[in-house]
Amino acid sequence: MSGRKIAFLGDIHANLDALKVVLADAREQGVTDYLCVGDVVGYNACPNECCEIVRDLCPVTVCGNHDSYCGSQEPLDDFTPLAAAMVTWSRAALSPENREWLRSLDHVALAMGVTLVHATMDAPAHWGYVFDEFEAESSFAYQKTALCFHGHTHVPVVFELHHGCVTRLAPKFFRLEPGRKYFLNTGSVGQPRDGDPRASYCIYTPAEKSVEYRRLEYDVAAAQKRILDAGLPTRLATRLAEGR
Ligand code: ZN
């Protein structure tokens, strides 16, 4: 394990422009390994390219809700018209190999000493959101490792469990304290929603017991153009510039 620097990528959402910038930064930072907390596809216009890069790079990817919707042919009755249009487009765009790969993903995985889940540990297939300490506490009850990386809200944040008490830490560089548990949201590579349009990911360095969050500018206009050229809903392009 020593010498490893592990990048955690999440909510890439078919945004190739953002993913390329994140990977270039990770290489510069000396990252040796990559893991993915899900939602490789959906929203943006490059699902196949992103699936192929992630399949190649990450020995483990967990299933996100969009991976599940886009990889299956389940009816979209409960979806808003905008969401249904987006999922229908992604389904048609995905190659059979990538669709098969999305279907093969597990909801929870252990890799390199940490846990990966897309949404929550208490109900991984129900796609609940962890926005506050109370919701994090429910998830911690099922977390066996000191670290669990997740995504889904597209908001980078760290929840720390210490003596039964959950507190929220800012997503920046910090050192892990012994005896504590951490539930870490990587933030979103491809569609950030914390008001900051820059791509988000984090790096865990086991030997240093440290985690660093990184934010990177990428060519938002290029990603927007791909969305519009693909005939996807305009709202999916405008929200990238807002980080919402
Ligand atoms: Zn997502």
Side-chain angles (χ1 to χ4, degrees), residues 11 13 39 43 65-66 118 152 154 193:
D11 294 287
H13 283 301
D39 271 3
Y43 293 126
N65 50 323
H66 288 263
H118 183 65
H152 197 40
H154 299 205
R193 291 184 196 156

Side-chain angles (χ1 to χ4, degrees), residues 35 59-60 62 106-117 121 142-148:
L35 294 169
V60 177
V62 287
D106 291 327
H107 287 98
V108 181
L110 285 174
M112 302 178 199
V114 306
T115 305
L116 303 175
V117 68
M121 285 301 288
Y142 295 84
Q143 181 180 325
K144 303 260 193 326
T145 55
L147 274 70
C148 175

Side-chain angles (χ1 to χ4, degrees), residues 56-86:
D56 200 42
L57 212 53
C58 302
V60 177
T61 295
V62 287
C63 183
N65 50 323
H66 288 263
D67 303 323
S68 174
Y69 308 145
C70 297
S72 80
Q73 294 298 331
E74 283 161 42
L76 302 170
D77 303 340
D78 298 338
F79 284 60
T80 64
L82 187 130
M86 187 268 292

